[in-house]
């Protein structure tokens, strides 16, 4: 089932084109890892798809409820008691100052408190300890569909069935987990080298 689509997207910051692509469709069961260099536009892409940022051109249509674990945000606790207990937050409801790890746990607990078909997560392991990461992994395993920005290659390997690469403002989707993406990417690189060498030899 189609749960999100975006078409003919362009987003500029000042006169710099950050993101440009023709089409992206997300279906039930898609567990997509988003990768790219720092500053490549990964978070901008996710913000556009979530509806938080409007593209300068194109449109996004969402066909389900979405939860969003943002990397840079502070949230108040509004998760249900069961989730709070899982994330060791039950005793922290009246706490005024939270550590980085506790802030991350709050964002994750809030996101998993509602029945959302699609989850967005931007570096959700930031400041989490080992137990927190393992709990997040279990939650993501049981999530129907998600878009996940992460530098944790083992996380992308264990959870994702597609990889979306953001590079030079463009996007490209690969089937499989991160290891499968690396293999396909290496094959593309070698093929490109061979094509270039052939072009040079024919030219000379």
């Amino acid at each position: 089932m189609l749960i999100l689509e975006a078409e003919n997207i362009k987003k500029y910051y000042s006169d710099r084109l950050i993101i440009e692509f023709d089409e992206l469709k997300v279906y039930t069961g898609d567990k997509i890892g988003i990768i790219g260099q720092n500053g490549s536009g990964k978070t901008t892409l996710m913000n556009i798809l979530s509806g938080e940022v409007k593209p300068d051109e194109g449109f996004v249509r969402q066909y389900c409820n979405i939860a969003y674990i943002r990397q840079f945000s502070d949230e108040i606790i509004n998760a249900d008691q069961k989730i709070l207990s899982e994330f060791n937050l039950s005793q922290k409801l009246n706490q005024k100052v939270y550590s980085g790890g506790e802030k991350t746990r709050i964002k994750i607990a809030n996101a998993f408190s509602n029945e959302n078909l699609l989850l967005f997560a931007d570096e959700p392991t930031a400041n989490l300890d080992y137990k927190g990461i393992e709990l997040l992994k279990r939650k993501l395993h049981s999530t129907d569909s998600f878009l996940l920005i992460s530098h944790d290659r083992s996380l992308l390997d264990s959870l994702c069935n597609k990889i979306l690469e953001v590079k030079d403002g463009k996007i490209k989707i690969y089937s499989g987990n991160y290891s499968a993406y690396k293999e396909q990417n290496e094959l593309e690189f070698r093929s490109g080298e061979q094509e270039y060498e052939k072009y040079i030899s024919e030219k000379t």
Side-chain angles (χ1 to χ4, degrees):
M1 181 175 75
L2 180 65
I3 54 178
L4 183 146
E5 62 179 333
E7 287 191 13
N8 302 318
I9 298 295
K10 284 187 181 181
K11 180 63 184 176
Y12 295 87
Y13 285 139
S14 298
D15 59 349
R16 183 185 167 209
L17 182 61
I18 303 295
I19 288 284
E20 177 185 21
F21 62 90
D22 295 330
E23 183 180 76
L24 174 61
K25 293 187 177 182
V26 180
Y27 295 88
T28 307
D30 282 348
K31 299 190 173 189
I32 303 171
I34 300 178
I35 64 168
Q37 297 293 321
N38 288 336
S40 61
K42 301 185 297 294
T43 298
T44 298
L45 171 64
M46 193 171 276
N47 287 340
I48 289 170
L49 298 177
S50 72
E52 289 202 355
V53 170
K54 297 294 182 187
D56 294 308
E57 295 182 25
F59 68 86
V60 176
R61 293 194 179 107
Q62 303 167 351
Y63 303 112
C64 67
N65 292 328
I66 290 173
Y68 194 168
I69 303 169
R70 297 163 186 80
Q71 184 178 7
F72 302 110
S73 69
D74 289 336
E75 299 179 17
I76 60 170
I77 295 175
N78 57 27
D80 62 53
Q81 194 58 45
K82 181 172 178 285
I83 296 286
L84 289 177
S85 179
E86 283 185 77
F87 282 89
N88 295 321
L89 293 169
S90 298
Q91 309 305 317
K92 302 182 183 291
L93 291 173
N94 298 316
Q95 195 168 302
K96 292 184 178 178
V97 179
Y98 296 97
S99 69
E102 287 169 344
K103 288 178 181 179
T104 300
R105 284 172 178 260
I106 289 168
K107 290 185 281 190
I108 294 170
N110 288 345
F112 282 110
S113 282
N114 300 307
E115 292 297 322
N116 298 294
L117 193 56
L118 180 59
L119 174 72
F120 289 177
D122 188 353
E123 297 290 354
T125 58
N127 300 312
L128 283 184
D129 58 13
Y130 174 76
K131 287 183 179 179
I133 291 172
E134 288 303 307
L135 180 55
L136 173 65
K137 274 187 182 180
R138 292 200 298 274
K139 288 291 183 185
L140 287 173
H141 266 300
S142 61
T143 300
D144 280 334
S145 316
F146 61 72
L147 278 75
L148 167 67
I149 297 174
S150 179
H151 286 92
D152 186 336
R153 304 317 187 201
S154 65
L155 195 72
L156 297 174
D157 253 352
S158 63
L159 293 170
C160 297
N161 54 31
K162 291 182 179 179
I163 296 294
L164 187 158
E165 181 186 54
V166 183
K167 186 177 181 181
D168 300 326
K170 307 289 187 180
I171 67 170
K172 187 169 185 177
I173 291 192
Y174 297 80
S175 295
N177 62 9
Y178 183 77
S179 291
Y181 153 77
K182 287 294 287 181
E183 289 178 12
Q184 294 172 70
N185 198 252
E186 182 66 24
L187 285 173
E188 287 178 1
F189 178 74
R190 288 177 186 170
S191 176
E193 278 191 326
Q194 289 170 0
E195 287 294 324
Y196 179 73
E197 287 169 4
K198 182 182 176 184
Y199 166 75
I200 293 297
S201 64
E202 288 175 351
K203 198 174 180 183
T204 55

